[in-house]
Amino acid sequence: GQQLNQSPQSMFIQEGEDVSMNCTSSSIFNTWLWYKQDPGEGPVLLIALYKAGELTSNGRLTAQFGITRKDSFLNISASIPSDVGIYFCAGRRAGGTSYGKLTFGQGTILTVHP
Amino acid sequence: GAVVSQHPSWVICKSGTSVKIECRSLDFQATTMFWYRQFPKQSLMLMATSNEGSKATYEQGVEKDKFLINHASLTLSTLTVTSAHPEDSSFYICSARRAEGTYNSPLHFGNGTRLTVT
């Protein structure tokens, strides 16, 4: 199935640095979700976005729904070691028969050095 | 709230046997559950959509006779991998959406099941 283009694939940063990752698609999405997955566990929802242009924060995390509805970004400020994990964007396409189904990005592997 | 539980967390089975994985919504009712498959260092790929009281909808390329899905109640969906082969070894994850939610409601994921077929 279709996948979202998520970048970067991996990031190695120092504790305290800010992080930015994004997802793009050739299709329009009406929902963007950002998840974090720790090894051997299921994804945990971080932020949900429902409107084009929407900017939402969750603690040190901020995500935006692109105005074209074809992209979204996630920023993490002042990273800490427990931010380590794989971050996935996921989108729901507008219309069609894909009721409630999500399309996932390839993931961004984040490593934070103390 | 919105806890989804999967069981077992991991399972090892012999080639040719069948394995059943359970997905339960613990504190809410879910009319729709989704089953995903994830290979190491890869993204989640949707296998099928499980609807309570009706047949599951499978994604293209997923064999419905091999991956049997049953959604008999609003809190339980099961995935049975029949006649398992080593290439079926993977991380299987379910997700659920609240019954009272809309199609836009966020999905809550289980902790996944690591299947190893020897």
Side-chain angles (χ1 to χ4, degrees), chain B residues 45-101:
Chain B
M45 297 301 295
L46 181 65
M47 298 175 64
T49 302
S50 171
N51 299 297
E52 188 267 336
S54 63
K55 291 184 179 180
T57 303
Y58 291 81
E59 295 299 300
Q60 191 173 9
V62 178
E63 299 176 58
K64 62 179 181 180
D65 293 330
K66 179 168 183 65
F67 299 99
L68 301 178
I69 292 173
N70 184 279
H71 193 155
S73 77
L74 285 172
T75 60
L76 174 64
S77 175
T78 61
L79 168 68
T80 301
V81 182
T82 64
S83 187
H85 291 284
E87 56 265 32
D88 296 327
S89 299
S90 187
F91 194 52
Y92 292 86
I93 311 173
C94 72
S95 68
R97 186 176 60 238
R98 291 177 180 272
E100 66 274 18

Side-chain angles (χ1 to χ4, degrees), chain B residues 1 5-6 8-9 14 20 25 28 33 35 44 48-49 67-69 71 75 82 97 99 104 107-108 111-112 114:
Chain B
S5 174
Q6 257 183 266
S9 300
K14 292 186 177 180
K20 180 184 284 187
S25 54
F28 66 100
M33 292 185 175
W35 287 95
L44 285 77
T49 302
F67 299 99
L68 301 178
I69 292 173
H71 193 155
T75 60
T82 64
R97 186 176 60 238
N104 233 9
L107 295 183
H108 302 281
N111 264 344
R114 172 73 59 193

Side-chain angles (χ1 to χ4, degrees), chain A residues 30-31 35 37 92 101 105, chain B residues 38 43 59 103-105 107:
Chain A
N30 57 13
T31 303
Y35 289 88
Q37 186 180 28
R92 263 195 204 98
K101 293 195 289 189
Chain B
Q38 186 180 32
S43 187
E59 295 299 300
Y103 79 101
N104 233 9
S105 300
L107 295 183

